[in-house]
Coordinates of all heavy atoms in Angstrom, one line a residue:
E23 N -35.3 7.5 -15.3 CA -36.0 6.9 -14.3 C -36.4 5.4 -14.7 O -36.8 4.6 -13.9 CB -37.3 7.6 -13.9 CG -37.0 9.0 -13.3 CD -38.3 9.7 -12.9 OE1 -39.4 9.1 -13.0 OE2 -38.1 10.9 -12.6
G24 N -36.2 5.1 -15.9 CA -36.5 3.7 -16.4 C -38.0 3.4 -16.6 O -38.3 2.3 -16.6
E25 N -38.8 4.5 -16.8 CA -40.2 4.2 -16.9 C -40.6 4.0 -18.3 O -41.7 3.3 -18.5 CB -41.0 5.5 -16.4 CG -40.8 5.7 -14.9 CD -41.5 6.9 -14.4 OE1 -42.3 7.6 -15.2 OE2 -41.4 7.2 -13.2
H26 N -39.9 4.3 -19.3 CA -40.2 4.0 -20.7 C -40.0 2.4 -20.9 O -39.0 1.9 -20.4 CB -39.3 4.8 -21.6 CG -39.7 4.7 -23.0 ND1 -39.4 3.7 -23.9 CD2 -40.5 5.5 -23.8 CE1 -40.0 3.9 -25.1 NE2 -40.6 5.0 -25.0
P27 N -40.9 1.8 -21.6 CA -40.8 0.3 -21.8 C -39.4 -0.1 -22.3 O -38.9 -1.1 -21.8 CB -41.9 0.0 -22.7 CG -42.9 1.1 -22.5 CD -42.1 2.3 -22.2
T28 N -38.9 0.6 -23.2 CA -37.6 0.1 -23.8 C -36.5 0.3 -22.8 O -35.6 -0.5 -22.7 CB -37.3 0.7 -25.2 OG1 -37.3 2.1 -25.0 CG2 -38.2 0.3 -26.2
T29 N -36.6 1.5 -22.1 CA -35.5 1.7 -21.1 C -35.6 0.7 -19.9 O -34.6 0.1 -19.5 CB -35.7 3.1 -20.4 OG1 -35.7 4.1 -21.5 CG2 -34.6 3.4 -19.4
Y30 N -36.8 0.3 -19.6 CA -37.0 -0.7 -18.5 C -36.4 -2.1 -19.0 O -35.7 -2.7 -18.3 CB -38.5 -0.9 -18.2 CG -38.8 -2.0 -17.3 CD1 -38.5 -1.9 -15.9 CD2 -39.2 -3.2 -17.7 CE1 -38.7 -3.0 -15.0 CE2 -39.5 -4.3 -16.9 CZ -39.2 -4.1 -15.5 OH -39.4 -5.2 -14.7
M31 N -36.7 -2.4 -20.2 CA -36.2 -3.7 -20.8 C -34.6 -3.7 -20.8 O -34.0 -4.6 -20.5 CB -36.7 -3.9 -22.2 CG -38.2 -4.4 -22.2 SD -38.8 -4.9 -23.8 CE -38.6 -3.4 -24.8
C32 N -34.1 -2.5 -21.2 CA -32.6 -2.4 -21.2 C -32.0 -2.5 -19.8 O -31.0 -3.2 -19.6 CB -32.2 -1.1 -21.9 SG -32.4 -1.1 -23.6
L33 N -32.7 -1.8 -18.8 CA -32.2 -1.9 -17.4 C -32.3 -3.4 -16.9 O -31.3 -3.8 -16.3 CB -33.0 -1.0 -16.5 CG -32.8 0.5 -16.7 CD1 -33.9 1.2 -16.0 CD2 -31.4 0.8 -16.1
K34 N -33.4 -4.1 -17.2 CA -33.5 -5.4 -16.9 C -32.4 -6.3 -17.5 O -31.9 -7.1 -16.8 CB -34.9 -5.9 -17.2 CG -35.2 -7.3 -16.7 CD -36.6 -7.7 -17.0 CE -36.9 -9.2 -16.5 NZ -38.2 -9.6 -16.9
F35 N -32.2 -6.1 -18.7 CA -31.1 -6.9 -19.5 C -29.7 -6.6 -18.8 O -29.0 -7.6 -18.5 CB -31.1 -6.4 -20.9 CG -30.0 -7.2 -21.7 CD1 -30.2 -8.5 -22.2 CD2 -28.8 -6.7 -21.8 CE1 -29.3 -9.2 -22.9 CE2 -27.7 -7.4 -22.5 CZ -28.0 -8.6 -23.1
L36 N -29.5 -5.4 -18.5 CA -28.2 -5.1 -17.9 C -28.0 -5.8 -16.5 O -27.0 -6.4 -16.2 CB -28.0 -3.5 -17.6 CG -27.6 -2.8 -18.8 CD1 -27.7 -1.3 -18.5 CD2 -26.3 -3.1 -19.4
A37 N -29.1 -5.7 -15.7 CA -29.1 -6.3 -14.4 C -29.0 -7.8 -14.4 O -28.2 -8.4 -13.6 CB -30.4 -6.0 -13.6
E38 N -29.5 -8.4 -15.5 CA -29.4 -9.9 -15.6 C -28.2 -10.4 -16.3 O -27.7 -11.5 -16.1 CB -30.7 -10.4 -16.4 CG -31.9 -10.2 -15.6 CD -33.2 -10.5 -16.4 OE1 -33.1 -10.8 -17.6 OE2 -34.3 -10.5 -15.9
H39 N -27.5 -9.6 -17.1 CA -26.4 -10.1 -18.0 C -25.1 -9.4 -17.8 O -24.1 -9.9 -18.3 CB -26.8 -10.0 -19.4 CG -28.0 -10.8 -19.8 ND1 -28.0 -12.2 -19.9 CD2 -29.3 -10.4 -20.0 CE1 -29.2 -12.6 -20.1 NE2 -30.0 -11.5 -20.3
L40 N -25.0 -8.3 -17.1 CA -23.7 -7.6 -17.0 C -22.9 -8.4 -15.9 O -23.4 -8.5 -14.7 CB -23.9 -6.2 -16.5 CG -22.6 -5.3 -16.6 CD1 -22.2 -5.1 -18.0 CD2 -22.9 -4.0 -16.0
E41 N -21.8 -8.9 -16.2 CA -21.0 -9.7 -15.3 C -20.0 -8.8 -14.6 O -19.0 -8.3 -15.3 CB -20.2 -10.8 -16.1 CG -21.1 -11.8 -16.7 CD -21.8 -12.7 -15.7 OE1 -21.3 -12.9 -14.6 OE2 -22.9 -13.2 -16.1
P42 N -20.2 -8.4 -13.4 CA -19.4 -7.5 -12.7 C -17.9 -7.9 -12.7 O -17.0 -7.0 -12.8 CB -19.9 -7.5 -11.2 CG -21.3 -7.9 -11.3 CD -21.3 -8.9 -12.5
L43 N -17.6 -9.1 -12.6 CA -16.2 -9.6 -12.6 C -15.5 -9.3 -13.9 O -14.3 -9.2 -14.0 CB -16.1 -11.0 -12.1 CG -16.6 -11.3 -10.7 CD1 -16.4 -12.7 -10.4 CD2 -15.8 -10.5 -9.7
Q44 N -16.3 -9.3 -15.0 CA -15.7 -9.1 -16.4 C -15.5 -7.6 -16.6 O -14.7 -7.2 -17.4 CB -16.6 -9.7 -17.4 CG -16.6 -11.2 -17.4 CD -17.6 -11.8 -18.4 OE1 -18.3 -11.0 -19.0 NE2 -17.5 -13.1 -18.7
A45 N -16.3 -6.8 -15.9 CA -16.3 -5.3 -16.0 C -16.1 -4.8 -17.4 O -15.0 -4.3 -17.7 CB -15.1 -4.8 -15.0
P46 N -17.0 -5.1 -18.3 CA -16.9 -4.7 -19.7 C -17.1 -3.2 -19.9 O -17.4 -2.5 -19.0 CB -18.1 -5.4 -20.3 CG -19.1 -5.4 -19.2 CD -18.3 -5.7 -17.9
T47 N -16.8 -2.8 -21.1 CA -17.1 -1.5 -21.6 C -18.5 -1.4 -22.0 O -19.0 -2.4 -22.7 CB -16.1 -1.1 -22.7 OG1 -14.8 -1.1 -22.3 CG2 -16.5 0.3 -23.3
M48 N -19.2 -0.3 -21.7 CA -20.6 -0.2 -22.1 C -20.8 1.1 -22.9 O -20.3 2.2 -22.4 CB -21.5 -0.2 -20.9 CG -23.0 -0.4 -21.2 SD -23.8 1.1 -21.6 CE -25.4 0.8 -21.1
L49 N -21.4 1.1 -24.0 CA -21.7 2.3 -24.8 C -23.2 2.6 -24.7 O -24.0 1.7 -25.1 CB -21.3 2.1 -26.3 CG -21.7 3.2 -27.3 CD1 -21.0 4.5 -26.9 CD2 -21.4 2.8 -28.6
D50 N -23.5 3.7 -24.3 CA -25.0 4.2 -24.2 C -25.1 5.2 -25.3 O -24.9 6.4 -25.1 CB -25.3 4.7 -22.8 CG -26.7 5.1 -22.7 OD1 -27.5 4.9 -23.6 OD2 -27.0 5.7 -21.6
Y51 N -25.5 4.8 -26.4 CA -25.6 5.7 -27.6 C -27.1 6.3 -27.7 O -28.0 5.6 -27.7 CB -25.4 4.9 -29.0 CG -25.2 5.9 -30.1 CD1 -23.9 6.4 -30.3 CD2 -26.2 6.2 -30.9 CE1 -23.7 7.3 -31.4 CE2 -26.1 7.0 -32.0 CZ -24.7 7.6 -32.2 OH -24.6 8.5 -33.2
G52 N -27.1 7.7 -27.6 CA -28.4 8.3 -27.5 C -28.8 8.3 -26.0 O -29.9 8.0 -25.6
T53 N -27.8 8.7 -25.2 CA -27.9 8.5 -23.7 C -29.1 9.2 -23.0 O -29.6 8.7 -22.1 CB -26.6 8.9 -23.1 OG1 -26.6 8.4 -21.7 CG2 -26.4 10.4 -23.1
G54 N -29.5 10.3 -23.6 CA -30.6 11.1 -23.0 C -30.2 11.5 -21.5 O -29.2 12.1 -21.3
S55 N -31.0 11.0 -20.6 CA -30.8 11.3 -19.2 C -29.6 10.7 -18.6 O -29.1 11.0 -17.5 CB -32.0 11.0 -18.3 OG -32.2 9.6 -18.3
G56 N -29.0 9.7 -19.3 CA -27.9 9.0 -18.8 C -28.3 7.7 -17.9 O -27.4 7.1 -17.3
V57 N -29.5 7.4 -17.8 CA -30.0 6.4 -16.8 C -29.3 5.0 -17.2 O -28.9 4.3 -16.2 CB -31.5 6.3 -16.8 CG1 -32.1 5.7 -18.1 CG2 -31.9 5.4 -15.6
L58 N -29.1 4.7 -18.4 CA -28.6 3.4 -18.7 C -27.0 3.4 -18.4 O -26.5 2.4 -17.9 CB -28.8 3.0 -20.2 CG -30.3 2.7 -20.5 CD1 -30.4 2.4 -22.0 CD2 -30.8 1.5 -19.6
A59 N -26.3 4.5 -18.7 CA -24.9 4.6 -18.4 C -24.7 4.5 -16.9 O -23.8 3.9 -16.5 CB -24.4 5.9 -19.0
I60 N -25.6 5.2 -16.2 CA -25.5 5.2 -14.7 C -25.6 3.8 -14.2 O -24.9 3.3 -13.3 CB -26.4 6.2 -14.1 CG1 -26.0 7.7 -14.4 CG2 -26.6 6.0 -12.6 CD1 -27.0 8.7 -14.2
A61 N -26.6 3.1 -14.7 CA -27.0 1.8 -14.3 C -25.8 0.8 -14.6 O -25.3 0.0 -13.7 CB -28.2 1.2 -14.9
A62 N -25.2 0.9 -15.7 CA -24.0 0.1 -16.1 C -22.9 0.3 -15.2 O -22.2 -0.6 -14.7 CB -23.6 0.4 -17.6
K63 N -22.6 1.6 -14.9 CA -21.6 1.9 -13.9 C -21.8 1.3 -12.6 O -21.0 0.7 -11.9 CB -21.4 3.4 -13.8 CG -20.2 3.9 -13.1 CD -19.0 3.7 -13.8 CE -17.8 4.4 -13.2 NZ -16.6 4.2 -13.8
R64 N -23.1 1.4 -12.0 CA -23.5 0.9 -10.8 C -23.3 -0.7 -10.8 O -23.1 -1.3 -9.7 CB -24.9 1.3 -10.4 CG -25.0 2.7 -10.0 CD -26.1 2.9 -9.0 NE -26.2 4.3 -8.5 CZ -25.5 4.7 -7.6 NH1 -24.7 3.9 -6.9 NH2 -25.6 6.0 -7.2
L65 N -23.6 -1.3 -11.9 CA -23.5 -2.7 -12.0 C -22.1 -3.2 -12.3 O -21.9 -4.5 -12.4 CB -24.5 -3.2 -13.1 CG -26.0 -3.0 -12.7 CD1 -26.8 -3.2 -14.0 CD2 -26.4 -4.0 -11.6
G66 N -21.1 -2.4 -12.3 CA -19.7 -2.8 -12.4 C -19.0 -2.6 -13.7 O -17.9 -3.1 -13.8
A67 N -19.7 -2.0 -14.7 CA -18.9 -1.8 -15.9 C -17.7 -0.9 -15.7 O -17.8 0.2 -15.0 CB -19.8 -1.1 -17.0
R68 N -16.6 -1.3 -16.1 CA -15.3 -0.5 -15.8 C -15.3 0.8 -16.6 O -14.9 1.8 -16.1 CB -14.1 -1.4 -16.2 CG -12.8 -0.7 -15.8 CD -11.7 -1.7 -16.0 NE -12.1 -3.0 -15.8 CZ -11.3 -4.1 -16.1 NH1 -10.2 -3.9 -16.7 NH2 -11.7 -5.3 -16.0
R69 N -15.6 0.7 -17.9 CA -15.7 1.9 -18.8 C -17.0 2.1 -19.3 O -17.6 1.2 -19.9 CB -14.7 1.7 -19.9 CG -14.6 2.9 -20.8 CD -13.5 2.8 -21.9 NE -13.5 4.0 -22.7 CZ -13.2 4.0 -24.0 NH1 -12.9 2.9 -24.6 NH2 -13.2 5.1 -24.6
V70 N -17.5 3.3 -19.2 CA -18.9 3.7 -19.7 C -18.8 4.9 -20.5 O -18.3 5.9 -20.1 CB -19.9 3.8 -18.6 CG1 -21.3 4.2 -19.1 CG2 -20.0 2.6 -17.7
V71 N -19.3 4.8 -21.7 CA -19.3 6.0 -22.7 C -20.7 6.3 -23.0 O -21.5 5.4 -23.5 CB -18.5 5.7 -23.9 CG1 -18.5 6.9 -24.9 CG2 -17.0 5.2 -23.6
A72 N -21.1 7.5 -22.8 CA -22.5 8.0 -23.0 C -22.4 9.1 -24.1 O -21.7 10.0 -24.1 CB -23.0 8.7 -21.8
V73 N -23.1 8.8 -25.2 CA -23.1 9.6 -26.5 C -24.5 10.2 -26.7 O -25.4 9.5 -26.6 CB -22.6 8.8 -27.6 CG1 -22.6 9.7 -28.9 CG2 -21.3 8.1 -27.5
D74 N -24.5 11.5 -27.0 CA -25.7 12.1 -27.5 C -25.4 13.3 -28.4 O -24.3 13.9 -28.3 CB -26.5 12.6 -26.3 CG -28.0 12.6 -26.6 OD1 -28.5 13.5 -27.4 OD2 -28.7 11.7 -26.1
K75 N -26.3 13.6 -29.3 CA -26.0 14.7 -30.3 C -26.5 16.1 -29.7 O -26.1 17.1 -30.3 CB -26.7 14.4 -31.6 CG -28.2 14.4 -31.5 CD -28.9 14.2 -32.9 CE -30.4 14.2 -32.7 NZ -31.0 14.1 -34.0
D76 N -27.2 16.1 -28.6 CA -27.7 17.3 -28.1 C -27.0 17.7 -26.9 O -26.9 17.1 -25.9 CB -29.2 17.1 -27.7 CG -30.0 18.3 -27.3 OD1 -29.4 19.0 -26.4 OD2 -31.1 18.5 -27.7
D77 N -26.4 19.0 -27.0 CA -25.5 19.5 -25.9 C -26.3 19.6 -24.6 O -25.8 19.3 -23.5 CB -24.9 20.8 -26.3 CG -23.8 20.7 -27.3 OD1 -23.2 19.6 -27.3 OD2 -23.6 21.7 -28.1
D78 N -27.6 20.0 -24.7 CA -28.4 20.3 -23.4 C -28.7 18.9 -22.8 O -28.6 18.8 -21.6 CB -29.6 21.0 -23.8 CG -29.5 22.4 -24.2 OD1 -28.4 23.1 -23.8 OD2 -30.2 23.0 -25.0
I79 N -29.0 17.9 -23.5 CA -29.2 16.6 -23.1 C -28.0 16.0 -22.5 O -28.1 15.4 -21.4 CB -29.9 15.7 -24.1 CG1 -31.2 16.2 -24.6 CG2 -29.9 14.3 -23.7 CD1 -32.2 16.3 -23.6
L80 N -26.9 16.1 -23.1 CA -25.6 15.6 -22.6 C -25.3 16.3 -21.3 O -24.8 15.6 -20.4 CB -24.5 15.9 -23.6 CG -23.4 14.9 -23.6 CD1 -23.8 13.5 -23.7 CD2 -22.4 15.2 -24.6
E81 N -25.5 17.6 -21.1 CA -25.4 18.3 -19.9 C -26.2 17.7 -18.8 O -25.8 17.5 -17.6 CB -25.6 19.8 -20.0 CG -25.3 20.6 -18.8 CD -25.5 22.1 -18.9 OE1 -25.4 22.5 -20.1 OE2 -25.8 22.7 -18.0
C82 N -27.5 17.3 -19.1 CA -28.4 16.7 -18.2 C -27.8 15.3 -17.7 O -27.9 15.0 -16.6 CB -29.8 16.5 -18.8 SG -30.9 15.6 -17.8
A83 N -27.3 14.6 -18.7 CA -26.7 13.3 -18.3 C -25.5 13.4 -17.4 O -25.3 12.7 -16.5 CB -26.3 12.5 -19.6
E84 N -24.8 14.4 -17.7 CA -23.5 14.8 -16.9 C -24.0 15.1 -15.4 O -23.4 14.6 -14.5 CB -22.8 16.0 -17.5 CG -21.6 16.5 -16.6 CD -20.4 15.6 -16.5 OE1 -20.1 15.0 -17.6 OE2 -19.8 15.5 -15.5
D85 N -25.0 16.0 -15.4 CA -25.5 16.3 -14.0 C -26.1 15.1 -13.3 O -25.8 15.0 -12.1 CB -26.7 17.4 -14.1 CG -26.2 18.7 -14.6 OD1 -25.0 19.0 -14.6 OD2 -27.1 19.5 -15.0
N86 N -26.8 14.2 -14.0 CA -27.4 13.0 -13.3 C -26.2 12.1 -12.9 O -26.3 11.6 -11.8 CB -28.3 12.4 -14.3 CG -29.6 13.0 -14.4 OD1 -30.0 13.8 -13.6 ND2 -30.3 12.8 -15.5
A87 N -25.1 12.0 -13.7 CA -24.0 11.1 -13.3 C -23.4 11.7 -12.1 O -22.9 11.0 -11.1 CB -23.0 11.0 -14.4
S88 N -23.2 13.0 -12.0 CA -22.6 13.7 -10.9 C -23.4 13.6 -9.6 O -22.8 13.4 -8.5 CB -22.3 15.2 -11.2 OG -21.4 15.3 -12.2
L89 N -24.7 13.6 -9.8 CA -25.6 13.4 -8.6 C -25.5 12.0 -8.1 O -25.6 11.8 -6.8 CB -27.0 13.7 -9.0 CG -27.5 15.2 -9.2 CD1 -28.9 15.3 -9.8 CD2 -27.4 15.9 -7.9
N90 N -25.3 11.0 -8.9 CA -25.2 9.7 -8.5 C -23.8 9.3 -8.0 O -23.7 8.5 -7.1 CB -25.5 8.7 -9.7 CG -27.0 8.5 -9.8 OD1 -27.5 7.6 -9.2 ND2 -27.6 9.4 -10.6
F91 N -22.7 9.8 -8.6 CA -21.4 9.4 -8.2 C -20.4 10.5 -7.8 O -19.3 10.2 -7.4 CB -20.7 8.7 -9.4 CG -21.5 7.5 -9.9 CD1 -22.2 7.6 -11.1 CD2 -21.5 6.4 -9.3 CE1 -22.9 6.5 -11.6 CE2 -22.2 5.2 -9.7 CZ -22.9 5.3 -10.9
G92 N -20.8 11.7 -7.9 CA -19.9 12.8 -7.6 C -19.2 13.3 -8.8 O -19.4 12.7 -9.9
A93 N -18.5 14.4 -8.7 CA -17.9 15.0 -9.9 C -16.9 14.1 -10.7 O -16.8 14.2 -11.9 CB -17.1 16.2 -9.5
G94 N -16.2 13.2 -10.0 CA -15.3 12.3 -10.6 C -16.0 11.0 -11.0 O -15.5 9.9 -10.8
H95 N -17.1 11.0 -11.6 CA -18.0 9.8 -11.8 C -17.3 8.8 -12.8 O -17.6 7.6 -12.8 CB -19.4 10.2 -12.3 CG -19.4 11.1 -13.5 ND1 -19.1 10.7 -14.7 CD2 -19.8 12.4 -13.5 CE1 -19.3 11.7 -15.5 NE2 -19.6 12.8 -14.8
G96 N -16.5 9.3 -13.7 CA -15.8 8.4 -14.6 C -16.6 8.0 -15.9 O -16.1 7.2 -16.7
I97 N -17.8 8.5 -16.1 CA -18.6 8.2 -17.3 C -18.1 9.2 -18.3 O -18.2 10.4 -18.1 CB -20.1 8.3 -17.0 CG1 -20.6 7.2 -16.0 CG2 -20.9 8.1 -18.3 CD1 -22.0 7.3 -15.6
E98 N -17.7 8.6 -19.5 CA -17.2 9.5 -20.5 C -18.4 10.1 -21.3 O -19.2 9.3 -21.9 CB -16.3 8.8 -21.5 CG -15.1 8.3 -20.9 CD -14.3 7.3 -21.8 OE1 -14.1 7.7 -23.0 OE2 -13.9 6.2 -21.3
M99 N -18.6 11.4 -21.3 CA -19.7 12.0 -22.0 C -19.2 12.5 -23.4 O -18.2 13.3 -23.4 CB -20.3 13.2 -21.2 CG -20.8 12.9 -19.8 SD -22.3 11.9 -19.9 CE -22.6 11.5 -18.3
V100 N -19.8 12.1 -24.5 CA -19.3 12.4 -25.8 C -20.4 13.0 -26.6 O -21.5 12.4 -26.7 CB -18.7 11.1 -26.5 CG1 -18.3 11.4 -27.9 CG2 -17.6 10.5 -25.7
H101 N -20.1 14.1 -27.2 CA -21.1 14.7 -28.2 C -20.8 14.1 -29.6 O -19.7 14.1 -30.1 CB -20.9 16.3 -28.3 CG -21.9 16.9 -29.3 ND1 -21.6 17.0 -30.5 CD2 -23.0 17.4 -29.0 CE1 -22.6 17.6 -31.1 NE2 -23.5 17.9 -30.2
G102 N -21.8 13.5 -30.1 CA -21.7 12.9 -31.4 C -23.0 12.5 -32.0 O -24.0 12.4 -31.4
R103 N -22.9 12.0 -33.3 CA -24.1 11.5 -34.0 C -23.6 10.5 -35.0 O -22.5 10.6 -35.5 CB -24.9 12.6 -34.6 CG -24.2 13.4 -35.7 CD -25.1 14.5 -36.2 NE -24.4 15.3 -37.2 CZ -24.6 15.0 -38.5 NH1 -25.2 14.1 -38.9 NH2 -23.8 15.8 -39.4
A104 N -24.5 9.7 -35.4 CA -24.2 8.7 -36.5 C -24.2 9.5 -37.8 O -25.0 10.3 -38.0 CB -25.2 7.6 -36.5
V105 N -23.3 9.1 -38.6 CA -23.2 9.6 -40.0 C -23.6 8.5 -41.0 O -23.0 7.4 -40.9 CB -21.8 10.2 -40.2 CG1 -21.8 10.8 -41.7 CG2 -21.5 11.2 -39.3
T106 N -24.6 8.8 -41.8 CA -25.0 7.8 -42.8 C -24.7 8.2 -44.2 O -24.4 9.3 -44.5 CB -26.5 7.5 -42.7 OG1 -27.2 8.7 -42.9 CG2 -26.8 6.9 -41.3

């Protein structure tokens, strides 16, 4: 929903700086609900990759993307985590 302060700041940044004509790739690492990935797709990002380490959370992001765009939403959902 974009209510967390950092999520709000990221959404504002995307809205102000994502150039639709350039249609960049966007990585949403630690996607959670998928709100940033969904916003990037709505703002014109050609390729959006959403990554999370939690299967249940990734399923939530998938459901949210499908609610916004339908089953063929095109956001790549990836299970993964950083390795240090």
Side-chain angles (χ1 to χ4, degrees):
E23 294 180 12
E25 294 178 5
H26 190 278
T28 55
T29 303
Y30 174 78
M31 287 187 300
C32 288
L33 287 169
K34 185 176 177 185
F35 179 86
L36 285 173
E38 292 173 354
H39 298 286
L40 191 66
E41 297 289 335
L43 296 178
Q44 292 178 346
T47 297
M48 194 273 208
L49 173 65
D50 182 6
Y51 194 83
T53 194
S55 67
V57 68
L58 295 177
I60 291 166
K63 188 75 170 174
R64 286 209 176 275
L65 290 167
R68 188 174 328 168
R69 181 176 182 214
V70 180
V71 181
V73 180
D74 208 287
K75 67 178 183 173
D76 186 313
D77 288 330
D78 293 332
I79 295 299
L80 206 55
E81 184 176 334
C82 175
E84 174 72 38
D85 290 345
N86 288 334
S88 294
L89 286 171
N90 277 268
F91 302 107
H95 53 74
I97 297 175
E98 297 173 47
M99 301 290 176
V100 178
H101 181 271
R103 63 184 179 92
V105 178
T106 58

